[in-house]
Amino acid sequence: MRALTPLALVSLFATPALADPIVIKPILDARLRYERVDQEPLARDANAVTARLRAGFEARTGAFAFLAEAEGTLAIDNHYNSGVNGRTAFPLVADPQNVELNRLQLQYRGLPKTIVTVGRQRINLDDQRFVGSAGWRDNEQTFDAARVEWSGVKNVKADVTYSWSDRTFWGIDGGNRFGPTRYQAIGGDNVFANLAFKTKIGTLTGFTYLIDQDERLVLANSNATYGGRFAGNYAIQPALKLTYAASYAHQTDYARNPNRYRADYYAGELGLGIKAFTIGAGAEILGADHGVALTSFQTPLATLHKFNGWADKFLVTPPDGLKDIYGSVGYGWKKPGPFDAIGFAAIYHRFSSDRNDRRYGDEIDVSATAKVKRYTFILKYADYQAHGFATDTKKIWASLEWAI
């Protein structure tokens, strides 16, 4: 499987494709962002101004599509700790300078209701709680993988991936010089498998994630997770919509993980949309093994910024696990004045441990987003109050994004 490449896949099916015209679509995606971090007890605040550009193309002919995309990140103002630049007097902003081949993939759609993708690719599964591209970071996470998606039965979709390398967002300077787990890439035999069934009231998904991380300093991230998720919505009235989601998973050690443990994951969320206004509440529990010290439910390949507060204080689940109780409100407008859309959101989190009844603090997150044509403007703020667990942290972001 490790020898399977885009060129090898082309050789299997290339002859029928040659008679079809080639259609080329450009890829261009730019981001300019300012991030400020005030973190106790560090005396200096981080002030990061970064510019990120992705450029490439997708060429389609017949049943095949070939995609190539490069990515570069420039630190215009580098008064911050990128995680790999050694500037540890500043708080961490995990957007290091970088130049890389972000995606290089071949896709085949010649079989009925089947998509096969081989190469370096972006993978986002379900809500990205277990596998995602970490798109909030300038250098996104991609995977060297072979993926098959099949939807040959009505309302059913099977999605299976074998990945032999996780290409992290630490970039070309990644390694263990400045942090024990900040590798550019982590090899292993990873398997992601989803089976989803769509109903009138939501989608039920069963999943298996086998994460095998071969690098010596991250062996403890290897785990086997089995679970299910149900998510959907129901229109009570034309202007009144109920949304809901529930998940459960069980996790154990896997491959060369030196720890032996079992831990459970629970999540539930309920929301109500009243025209442009939304309100919601939820709870997420990443459990700890009650018989084993220093072991808890981990999701090392997730899009972690989406979960447990934007201040990113819980990217690694604490040894005693994590309970996150949260509530949110939001409001949005479509076509207000010159804008295509404007939205506001606020979220409150209350954090505590799963084991030993410890309080982990509180966080308030606020965001404003505006879209006009190809431009997106984002303002975000996070205020985490530690209450003795970690360190008080305030973050603010202002970004401008553009894509074709």
Side-chain angles (χ1 to χ4, degrees):
M1 181 63 73
R2 291 175 185 271
L4 187 59
T5 65
L7 289 178
L9 192 61
V10 168
S11 68
L12 296 177
F13 304 101
T15 303
L18 294 177
D20 294 299
I22 299 175
V23 178
I24 297 178
K25 177 183 176 181
I27 298 172
L28 196 59
D29 173 343
R31 171 193 286 167
L32 176 65
R33 183 158 70 192
Y34 168 72
E35 180 171 344
R36 180 182 179 88
V37 182
D38 176 1
Q39 178 178 325
E40 300 294 338
L42 297 177
R44 306 180 72 176
D45 293 346
N47 286 280
V49 179
T50 58
R52 195 276 317 282
L53 178 66
R54 294 183 187 138
F57 68 93
E58 182 182 51
R60 289 190 172 273
T61 179
F64 291 93
F66 175 74
L67 185 151
E69 178 187 66
E71 178 181 74
T73 299
L74 174 67
I76 299 172
D77 184 343
N78 65 353
H79 288 81
Y80 68 100
N81 174 16
S82 74
V84 296
N85 64 0
R87 309 198 72 180
T88 55
F90 295 96
L92 178 67
V93 176
D95 289 326
Q97 293 198 113
N98 186 48
V99 176
E100 68 175 9
L101 181 63
N102 192 49
R103 290 188 289 167
L104 183 68
Q105 68 182 51
L106 181 70
Q107 192 171 87
Y108 176 70
R109 294 174 177 257
L111 300 174
K113 305 292 184 179
T114 303
I115 304 172
V116 180
T117 309
V118 179
R120 186 164 300 171
Q121 56 190 281
R122 179 185 295 138
I123 300 177
N124 291 312
L125 299 178
D126 292 325
D127 61 347
Q128 304 179 44
R129 189 59 183 99
F130 297 95
V131 179
S133 60
W136 179 248
R137 300 268 57 99
D138 283 339
N139 305 320
E140 72 174 341
Q141 176 173 255
T142 56
F143 299 88
D144 292 340
R147 181 182 184 185
V148 179
E149 301 168 79
W150 178 82
S151 54
V153 175
K154 184 180 179 181
N155 296 324
V156 174
K157 180 180 179 182
D159 190 334
V160 180
T161 298
Y162 168 72
S163 171
W164 55 91
S165 180
D166 163 27
R167 311 294 300 189
T168 78
F169 54 74
W170 297 114
I172 57 176
D173 292 327
N176 60 10
R177 291 176 298 160
F178 305 113
T181 63
R182 293 168 185 167
Y183 294 103
Q184 178 187 11
I186 301 173
D189 296 301
N190 305 286
V191 177
F192 317 138
N194 278 15
L195 182 63
F197 176 63
K198 187 176 181 180
T199 74
K200 292 181 179 180
I201 59 172
T203 299
L204 177 64
T205 304
F207 54 79
T208 297
Y209 301 120
L210 305 179
I211 298 176
D212 171 20
Q213 300 211 325
D214 283 348
E215 301 294 343
R216 181 177 59 87
L217 297 176
V218 291
L219 293 177
N221 284 341
S222 298
N223 62 64
T225 302
Y226 307 89
R229 170 179 167 82
F230 182 76
N233 61 77
Y234 178 75
I236 301 172
Q237 295 179 359
L240 185 64
K241 181 190 292 185
L242 182 68
T243 60
Y244 37 82
S247 299
Y248 168 76
H250 180 70
Q251 185 177 98
T252 65
D253 55 275
Y254 181 68
R256 292 196 293 157
N257 191 326
N259 301 316
R260 296 294 176 263
Y261 75 99
R262 297 175 181 272
D264 294 312
Y265 170 88
Y266 306 88
E269 186 173 283
L270 193 64
L272 192 64
I274 308 169
K275 294 185 178 180
F277 177 75
T278 59
I279 186 169
E284 184 180 49
I285 301 173
L286 293 94
D289 189 324
H290 288 266
V292 182
L294 303 178
T295 52
S296 55
F297 198 103
Q298 302 291 337
T299 59
L301 300 183
T303 296
L304 292 165
H305 183 77
K306 288 185 63 178
F307 304 91
N308 310 134
W310 298 338
D312 290 337
K313 306 303 288 189
F314 300 99
L315 301 180
V316 176
T317 309
D320 285 326
L322 175 66
K323 292 182 180 179
D324 178 7
I325 310 299
Y326 59 90
S328 64
V329 294
Y331 196 87
W333 295 267
K334 292 184 178 179
K335 301 295 183 180
F339 297 96
D340 296 323
I342 294 178
F344 295 93
I347 308 170
Y348 169 75
H349 296 266
R350 183 177 179 86
F351 302 112
S352 60
S353 66
D354 175 57
R355 181 174 58 188
N356 295 332
D357 194 26
R358 299 177 59 195
R359 188 177 177 189
Y360 285 165
D362 305 275
E363 182 170 326
I364 295 174
D365 298 327
V366 181
S367 72
T369 304
K371 294 184 178 181
V372 54
K373 296 182 180 179
R374 299 185 184 276
Y375 297 90
T376 302
F377 305 86
I378 301 173
L379 288 174
K380 287 176 60 170
Y381 174 74
D383 185 351
Y384 170 74
Q385 298 296 313
H387 300 294
F389 168 69
T391 56
D392 291 355
T393 301
K394 296 180 177 65
K395 296 186 179 184
I396 188 169
W397 300 266
S399 68
L400 171 62
E401 300 180 7
W402 177 89
I404 61 172

